[in-house]
């Protein structure tokens, strides 16, 4: 009798999750857009420098520290998620995020602002971010790539709207009041969403879906194991092959994005206006790519092969660019559009790949290492574009993109063997 009651209760809970998981996707879009407020630092540099006489080169350090705290924020967020669950991390993270934004405005000192806004609030953003991705991945084991693409695409659109709003507000009110007001509103929004989202119960399966049959490759495969402990994952060769591939891809990615307008002008000799429109087109395609490739990954190729395919495609497009002549605008545009799909694949499918391979329990900790890999690439790539010509960087780019694609393909059989199951 007791077992029957538990079965009925689990069925009802699963039915509720089935209905509300799509609502949760929308709520996570709001959460991601709200915490992306810290990326609006460029809007406030001029007003802060004008009002307080702060050196802009010191204010912009808030952005630099934002990149540095990515790995520790993700690891801490992952540890908290494993202990308390996604809902609690969003509630606590939202409260702390809003509090640190407000605190950054209470003292008119540039270093206080950099630490509170650039370090502490950004740290909380990453804590929340890993809980978001884990929440979505666990709710959609059947459509993990598509759901990640939807959320990240929604965040991209939402965060793009926050900068103009911040710019409008700072023209109509004191800059510190503007920052504090938005910090309070966005922190509260994250907390409210933390109460409203649903979490997937253990071993959740949406109604009518069953996990695909996975071929067992060895007797040592852990039967029924839903996750790999992060310490064990760090001992796996497949993990580090993916890590190195991620660095290679991120190097080309951040090299272009860090200096996109001047880089495009140097590459094809176009005007600043043409370069700006080209970059805008790149961003539009990038936003679409995550959604499209999430579907492709779920339906056909899987997250590792999808990323590998488009990075190898970018390498091929770079070779075509040089064959056509290194100042051919249309060949450059073709390369850039293929690369936008590769970049979009990384944004949507790298977290999907990490969760598919190692499970959700220690997702934040492991994903933090991949964010650290991207940070390494973000140090190397922009140095190339500022020290060398566009043609030289694009020549190196052939190597970076092909190495990324090859390493992702190489990681597939290695991971399958180490996991003892043909997951990819």
């Amino acid at each position: 009798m007791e077992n029957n009651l538990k079965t009925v209760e689990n069925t009802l809970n699963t039915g509720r999750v089935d209905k509300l998981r799509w609502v949760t996707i929308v709520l996570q879009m709001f959460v991601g857009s709200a915490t992306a407020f810290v990326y609006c630092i460029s809007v406030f540099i001029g007003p802060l420098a004008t009002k307080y006489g702060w050196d802009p080169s010191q204010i912009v350090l808030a952005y630099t520290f934002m990149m540095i705290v990515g790995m520790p924020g993700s690891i801490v967020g992952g540890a908290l998620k494993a202990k308390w669950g996604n809902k609690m991390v969003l509630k606590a993270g939202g409260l702390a995020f809003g509090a640190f934004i407000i605190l950054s405005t209470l003292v008119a000192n540039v270093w206080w602002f950099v630490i509170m806004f650039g370090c502490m609030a950004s740290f909380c953003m990453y804590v929340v971010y890993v809980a978001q991705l884990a929440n979505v991945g666990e709710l959609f084991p059947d459509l993990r790539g598509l759901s990640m693409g939807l959320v990240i695409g929604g965040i991209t659109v939402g965060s793009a709207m926050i900068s103009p709003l911040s710019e409008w507000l700072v023209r109509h009110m004191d800059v510190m009041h503007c920052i504090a007001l938005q910090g309070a509103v966005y922190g509260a929004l994250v907390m409210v969403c933390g109460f409203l989202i649903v979490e997937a119960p253990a071993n959740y399966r949406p109604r009518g879906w069953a996990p695909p049959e996975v071929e067992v490759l060895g007797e040592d495969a852990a039967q029924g194991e839903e996750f790999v402990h992060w310490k064990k994952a760090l001992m796996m060769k497949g993990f580090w092959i993916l890590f190195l591939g991620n660095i290679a891809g991120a190097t080309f990615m951040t090299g272009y994005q860090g200096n996109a307008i001047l880089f495009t002008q140097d590459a094809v000799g176009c005007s600043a206006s043409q370069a700006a429109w080209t970059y805008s087109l790149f961003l539009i395609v990038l936003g679409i790519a995550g959604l499209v490739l999430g579907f492709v990954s779920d339906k056909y190729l899987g997250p590792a092969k999808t990323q590998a395919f488009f990075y190898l495609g970018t390498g091929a497009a770079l070779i075509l660019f040089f064959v056509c002549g290194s100042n051919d605008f249309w060949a450059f545009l073709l390369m850039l559009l293929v690369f936008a799909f590769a970049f979009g694949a990384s944004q949507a499918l790298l977290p999907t790949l990490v969760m598919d391979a190692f499970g959700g329990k220690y997702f934040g900790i492991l994903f933090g290492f991949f964010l650290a890999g991207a940070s390494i690439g973000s140090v190397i790539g922009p140095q190339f574009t500022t020290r060398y010509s566009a043609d030289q960087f694009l020549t190196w780019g052939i190597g970076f993109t092909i190495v990324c694609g090859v390493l992702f393909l190489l990681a597939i059989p290695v991971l399958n063997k180490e996991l003892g199951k043909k997951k990819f």
Side-chain angles (χ1 to χ4, degrees):
M1 181 67 175
E2 184 178 346
N3 289 335
N4 290 337
L5 288 174
K6 286 183 177 180
T7 301
V8 172
E9 182 181 356
N10 290 336
T11 301
L12 290 173
N13 288 339
T14 299
R16 178 176 177 274
V17 173
D18 288 346
K19 293 176 182 177
L20 295 180
R21 62 179 185 155
W22 292 101
V23 176
T24 295
I25 277 193
V26 176
L27 293 173
Q28 293 293 15
M29 291 178 186
F30 286 129
V31 169
S33 301
T35 54
F37 171 63
V38 291
Y39 286 101
C40 294
I41 182 64
S42 60
V43 173
F44 305 118
I45 292 175
L48 288 170
T50 299
K51 181 173 182 178
Y52 297 107
W54 294 349
D55 186 342
S57 65
Q58 293 178 326
I59 303 172
V60 81
L61 287 174
Y63 184 84
T64 302
F65 285 119
M66 191 189 309
M67 299 295 102
I68 294 173
V69 299
M71 180 181 178
S74 298
I75 290 175
V76 170
L80 294 176
K81 172 257 185 299
K83 186 174 183 179
W84 291 336
N86 300 310
K87 290 174 72 73
M88 182 58 70
V89 172
L90 259 65
K91 295 172 192 174
L95 176 63
F97 177 81
F100 283 121
I101 295 291
I102 294 170
L103 285 172
S104 73
T105 68
L106 298 183
V107 178
N109 178 280
V110 65
W111 293 112
W112 174 265
F113 179 82
V114 167
I115 292 170
M116 291 294 109
F117 192 99
C119 291
M120 303 308 298
S122 299
F123 179 88
C124 295
M125 174 189 69
Y126 285 108
V127 168
V128 169
Y129 184 59
V130 296
Q132 288 181 262
L133 296 181
N135 178 227
V136 173
E138 291 164 358
L139 284 172
F140 290 87
D142 52 336
L143 298 169
R144 191 164 282 161
L146 177 62
S147 61
M148 290 286 193
L150 274 171
V151 169
I152 292 171
I155 292 172
T156 301
V157 173
S159 58
M161 297 171 65
I162 288 179
S163 289
L165 174 62
S166 297
E167 194 277 332
W168 182 84
L169 285 172
V170 84
R171 284 190 284 110
H172 291 83
M173 61 192 302
D174 177 81
V175 59
M176 287 302 197
H177 293 166
C178 170
I179 294 171
L181 173 64
Q182 291 185 88
V185 171
Y186 298 145
L189 176 61
V190 174
M191 286 184 64
V192 170
C193 290
F195 282 97
L196 296 178
I197 67 168
V198 294
E199 289 192 276
N203 302 321
Y204 168 66
R205 298 182 182 184
R207 185 172 299 171
W209 177 81
E213 293 290 331
V214 177
E215 179 184 348
V216 177
L217 299 177
E219 294 180 359
D220 295 332
Q223 299 299 319
E225 186 174 299
E226 296 297 328
F227 62 87
V228 178
H229 195 282
W230 67 269
K231 292 181 181 179
K232 180 179 178 181
L234 294 182
M235 300 299 291
M236 297 170 66
K237 294 177 183 177
F239 177 91
W240 293 107
I241 294 172
L242 288 176
F243 181 81
L244 293 174
N246 182 48
I247 292 177
T251 299
F252 185 71
M253 182 191 309
T254 58
Y256 168 69
Q257 271 211 309
N259 194 24
I261 306 302
L262 292 176
F263 178 81
T264 302
Q265 290 180 267
D266 185 21
V268 294
C270 65
S271 68
S273 175
Q274 286 176 306
W277 279 108
T278 301
Y279 183 59
S280 296
L281 179 61
F282 170 81
L283 292 177
I284 292 170
V285 175
L286 173 62
I288 296 170
L291 176 59
V292 173
L293 296 184
F295 172 79
V296 171
S297 171
D298 289 337
K299 191 74 174 176
Y300 302 107
L301 296 176
K305 290 179 182 176
T306 303
Q307 292 179 78
F309 177 82
F310 281 97
Y311 272 104
L312 291 174
T314 302
L318 280 166
I319 294 172
L320 177 63
F321 171 69
F322 284 106
V323 169
C324 292
S326 60
N327 62 348
D328 188 297
F329 175 79
W330 296 107
F332 179 82
L333 183 62
L334 173 65
M335 179 280 297
L336 209 58
L337 295 180
V338 177
F339 176 56
F341 271 85
F343 193 174
S346 288
Q347 286 190 319
L349 298 181
L350 187 58
T352 302
L353 174 57
V354 174
M355 188 169 288
D356 283 352
F358 307 110
K361 186 169 184 178
Y362 298 102
F363 167 79
I365 298 173
L366 295 172
F367 190 62
F369 281 90
F370 285 94
L371 288 178
S375 297
I376 293 171
S378 70
V379 173
I380 301 171
Q383 290 298 316
F384 271 98
T385 55
T386 54
R387 294 173 184 268
Y388 300 99
S389 70
D391 278 357
Q392 287 175 306
F393 176 71
L394 290 173
T395 302
W396 279 96
I398 296 172
F400 288 132
T401 53
I402 290 177
V403 165
C404 176
V406 169
L407 287 176
F408 269 70
L409 288 178
L410 178 62
I412 294 173
V414 176
L415 273 176
N416 284 338
K417 183 177 180 181
E418 290 180 315
L419 294 169
K421 303 173 183 177
K422 194 172 182 180
K423 287 194 170 185
F424 304 103

